[in-house]
Amino acid sequence: MNVYDNLIRETLNVLQSQSFVQLPVRECRWNMRDTNEFLMGKEVAFELGDRFRDSVVYHVPTSDTALIGEDKVFLLGQDLPEIRKNTNFSRVVLFNIDDIPDPNKAYIGVRKLNYERYKIIPEGYMVLSSSFENKENVRVSKKAIENGLTFETLGNLYIQHYKQMPGVNHVQIYFIAGDFDFVKELVGLSKKVNEVTNAFDHILKNVILDCDVCPLKTICEDIEALRELHFAVNKK
């Protein structure tokens, strides 16, 4: 799985130019729910995310251990116990997964990783996601803050959950709490990730076999792995 590698490199270049704090990776325990809970206003300590300002949540996989070779959790901005008011929020998750030679199975694996986030529901952490906008709005309960919920805990809960999935080897998570100008670059990269995934789907469906009239031609030309995939599927 290398169709997203250039976008991971671009993402890391943006993220590593900032002063993130690396948080410990460790076994964490927290009550997890099967379904999203509804938190009333009086139960909420603050909300994370702002649909009217630059923010983003996206997920990108690779099989290259040189890019993603270990589990890591990073934070830029205030930790949850320090936040006193509604705060903008972004999250980027990068995966190292087993290589999947079959393109159809690889595409299904990408989709599963994207949708798996909806199954990670810590108590006191009510998530409202917009897959169309690549954003999350979160209500954090007063009780969760009192009980010690932090981004360190959240990051490790995500890692523990994802690594239960077959083929997931390592997970790196970047939490961004607050408004930062560089997030605009991440928003742009998230759109490119979506474009690659759509091109991936398009190629497998063989919707258009003539590259000259395909609206996704420029994307395939920019990403050698997609071109190779396209030719391999057409040969079949």
Side-chain angles (χ1 to χ4, degrees):
M1 171 60 69
N2 60 349
V3 297
Y4 299 96
D5 283 9
N6 287 339
L7 291 174
I8 288 181
R9 292 187 185 95
E10 290 185 56
T11 295
L12 287 172
N13 285 338
V14 173
L15 294 170
Q16 291 172 355
S17 68
Q18 305 301 314
S19 300
F20 279 86
V21 175
Q22 186 168 352
L23 305 176
V25 173
R26 59 182 180 83
E27 182 73 22
C28 282
R29 296 182 180 275
W30 194 265
N31 190 34
M32 305 296 286
R33 294 175 55 91
D34 294 327
T35 58
N36 212 359
E37 64 183 312
F38 183 77
L39 294 174
M40 304 288 288
K42 63 182 180 181
E43 301 173 283
V44 176
F46 52 81
E47 294 188 11
L48 298 174
D50 188 330
R51 63 173 304 180
F52 300 108
R53 289 184 285 179
D54 290 318
S55 63
V56 72
V57 171
Y58 67 102
H59 308 72
V60 202
T62 180
S63 296
D64 188 347
T65 54
L67 284 177
I68 306 298
E70 57 185 314
D71 301 328
K72 293 181 180 180
V73 181
F74 296 94
L75 170 63
L76 180 64
Q78 293 181 309
D79 206 342
L80 295 177
E82 302 166 343
I83 296 174
R84 297 290 180 267
K85 60 182 181 179
N86 294 349
T87 301
N88 205 2
F89 174 71
S90 296
R91 177 166 55 83
V92 177
V93 185
L94 308 175
F95 300 94
N96 175 272
I97 62 173
D98 290 343
D99 189 38
I100 308 173
D102 184 292
N104 286 286
K105 291 181 179 179
Y107 175 74
I108 291 170
V110 168
R111 286 300 193 189
K112 281 184 177 180
L113 281 175
N114 284 336
Y115 288 117
E116 195 68 19
R117 61 176 164 148
Y118 301 114
K119 300 179 183 178
I120 307 173
I121 311 171
E123 189 171 82
Y125 193 81
M126 173 186 168
V127 179
L128 300 173
S129 299
S130 172
S131 57
F132 179 75
E133 292 183 304
N134 288 345
K135 291 188 176 187
E136 280 184 356
N137 290 93
V138 183
R139 285 187 167 188
V140 183
S141 74
K142 295 175 183 176
K143 185 176 180 180
I145 297 300
E146 291 170 1
N147 289 339
L149 185 64
T150 64
F151 280 119
E152 177 185 326
T153 301
L154 284 174
N156 282 284
L157 291 173
Y158 278 101
I159 289 172
Q160 289 163 200
H161 182 95
Y162 281 122
K163 290 186 73 173
Q164 292 177 14
M165 298 177 66
V168 176
N169 304 312
H170 298 293
V171 186
Q172 294 186 6
I173 302 177
Y174 291 78
F175 294 108
I176 304 164
D179 287 306
F180 299 91
D181 290 340
F182 76 91
V183 172
K184 291 180 182 179
E185 297 180 65
L186 297 178
V187 171
L189 287 169
S190 76
K191 293 177 181 177
K192 290 183 180 180
V193 170
N194 287 347
E195 288 173 352
V196 171
T197 302
N198 291 337
F200 200 168
D201 176 58
H202 182 85
I203 288 168
L204 294 176
K205 288 180 178 176
N206 277 318
V207 177
I208 299 176
L209 297 177
D210 186 350
C211 291
D212 290 333
V213 299
C214 178
L216 300 172
K217 178 183 178 183
T218 55
I219 299 171
C220 286
E221 288 177 342
D222 286 342
I223 301 173
E224 185 63 29
L226 276 176
R227 294 183 65 193
E228 293 173 358
L229 175 63
H230 197 168
F231 293 137
V233 171
N234 282 342
K235 284 179 182 177
K236 291 180 182 180

